[in-house]
DNA sequence: CTTTACAAGTTCCAAAATGAAACCTACTAT
DNA sequence: ATAGTAGGTTTCATTTTGGAACTTGTAAAG
């Protein structure tokens, strides 16, 4: 499979990666959250080739995570600022940071710490349930087919990565009949 | 800069991406969390070339996110299972999923839903402060230089992506003197 | 027996993505 | 007149991919 086709997978991880899942894009976004806005700043900070940077910034603008704003006409100069869609990547960056802090320490300690303005304490952001507030780990959660998958199964499409067990159990429980003669993939 | 050098950046995002920041690795890990363990399963599910899959699985084993366990001797056949280090990637995948659910819907709705076993409710995992439990967004948090950066500044190294302002403010406040004649990068 | 299937790779090659360095354009400051 | 700054673009060699075919050892089917 070509990476270009990844955005049409029936999977939110795959679709998200189609936008931010290449070598440099998340580093560009990291810089955005630290206040970087201009081409040269990104380039010096990240150290990627100008070539790639041009391309990645354009894609982020195309995908509406960044907005390009001209701050000067002659010669034309622009800044790249996060949109809401871009701001929403925050949890991804925070999670990556948390993992790096824990597992990739080089012996000097955590590079950057977070301080929660609200409670005025150092914080290590964690995942929690938006309903009860409890912390969430892989074992605390059950994955259930959502409408995005059920609809496709009803149409006879079979997204490959979903364990059939999962969907069949669910279909049975919900008394939905899924035509089982249809083929995988849509 | 070469991608291979990215793991020595003074940045937890960069270091984490040096392990999981390529096209396919996070999809492999996604599958792991859904229970996939064997080569053929990964390959069918993800649709990446066997070539790459071999390589990515090996790297995940090298980096200790997966453990390779032989389940049969002749011919030798093995499974790949998540270690604690691998399990800790969970928040990253959940965050990617959340973003995809919100911004990359194809019109059919969310592919997979989460159900929190603890409170028995559907849940959308959110980031929160591990101290006070409040939800955290980009504006609720102040980034502060941690030991991993301070140490390097003391040694005269200047990690490029950190806004100098940030470190200088901090150094002043903490009354740390940082030799300003030293060069960036270490 | 002989053929087919399965699982987990490996090999080979063409096509695509990347990195480095040089170049371009339009100012501004020295 | 010269150098510097900002934001790119161009060129070209090197790396990384994707795809398809091949390998190895075993078991099951005809």
């Amino acid at each position: 499979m070509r990476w270009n086709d990844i955005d049409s997978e029936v999977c939110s991880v795959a679709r998200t990666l189609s936008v931010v899942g290449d070598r440099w894009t998340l580093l560009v976004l990291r810089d955005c959250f630290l206040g970087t806005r201009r081409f040269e700043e990104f380039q010096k900070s990240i150290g990627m080739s100008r070539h790639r940077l041009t391309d990645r910034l354009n894609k982020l603008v195309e995908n509406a995570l960044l907005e390009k704003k001209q701050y000067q006409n002659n010669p034309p100069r622009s800044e790249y600022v996060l949109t809401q869609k871009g701001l929403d990547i925050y949890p991804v960056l925070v999670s990556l940071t948390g993992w790096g802090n824990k597992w990739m320490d080089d012996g000097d300690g955590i590079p950057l710490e977070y301080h929660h303005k609200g409670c005025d304490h150092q914080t290590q952001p964690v995942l929690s349930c938006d309903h009860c507030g409890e912390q969430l780990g892989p074992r605390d959660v059950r994955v259930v087919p959502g409408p995005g998958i059920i609809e496709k199964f009803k149409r006879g499409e079979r997204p490959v990565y979903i364990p059939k067990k999962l969907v069949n159990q669910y279909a049975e429980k919900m008394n939905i009949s899924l035509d089982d003669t249809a083929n995988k993939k849509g």
Side-chain angles (χ1 to χ4, degrees), chain A:
Chain A
M1 181 196 272
R2 294 277 165 66
W3 185 254
N4 287 10
D5 303 329
I6 206 70
D7 59 343
S8 51
E9 287 287 293
V10 187
C11 166
S12 290
V13 176
R15 289 185 197 153
T16 301
L17 290 176
S18 76
V19 178
V20 302
D22 71 293
R23 277 168 167 47
W24 301 107
T25 298
L26 282 166
L27 291 180
V28 172
L29 291 169
R30 168 202 69 179
D31 271 20
C32 291
F33 280 98
L34 287 172
T36 301
R37 286 153 173 258
R38 301 189 180 176
F39 190 90
E40 295 292 323
E41 290 182 289
F42 286 113
Q43 206 275 317
K44 276 177 200 144
S45 156
I46 302 177
M48 65 194 288
S49 76
R50 318 172 66 71
H51 198 30
R52 289 295 90 209
L53 179 56
T54 303
D55 184 64
R56 290 297 109 100
L57 285 171
N58 285 341
K59 285 209 170 119
L60 283 168
V61 170
E62 270 174 45
N63 288 316
L65 280 81
L66 296 182
E67 199 182 338
K68 189 171 182 171
K69 287 186 176 164
Q70 206 154 311
Y71 67 87
Q72 166 186 311
N73 294 330
N74 222 319
R77 292 287 177 265
S78 12
E79 302 190 308
Y80 299 86
V81 297
L82 288 163
T83 61
Q84 187 57 50
K85 194 172 175 184
L87 284 165
D88 280 354
I89 283 292
Y90 190 66
V92 174
L93 285 169
V94 169
S95 304
L96 290 167
T97 304
W99 193 88
N101 284 343
K102 177 167 178 185
W103 293 102
M104 302 291 281
D105 196 311
D106 62 356
D108 281 343
I110 295 176
L112 290 177
E113 288 170 358
Y114 292 131
H115 186 95
H116 181 204
K117 296 176 190 170
C119 71
D120 200 31
H121 274 271
Q122 195 186 319
T123 184
Q124 173 52 55
V126 292
L127 275 188
S128 62
C129 172
D130 68 340
H131 185 264
C132 71
E134 220 177 279
Q135 282 192 211
L136 291 182
R139 297 276 146 76
D140 306 316
V141 162
R142 184 168 47 250
V143 172
V144 182
I149 264 184
I150 309 263
E151 288 309 310
K152 287 166 189 78
F153 266 75
K154 283 187 183 165
R155 280 190 239 125
E157 300 165 25
R158 293 290 180 273
V160 182
Y161 82 102
I162 310 286
K164 308 106 214 168
K165 258 193 259 175
L166 185 68
V167 184
N168 288 337
Q169 276 171 14
Y170 186 78
E172 203 171 318
K173 183 175 143 203
M174 301 304 255
N175 230 42
I176 304 170
S177 93
L178 302 172
D179 181 5
D180 229 6
T181 60
N183 237 334
K184 25 181 164 170
K185 195 85 203 190

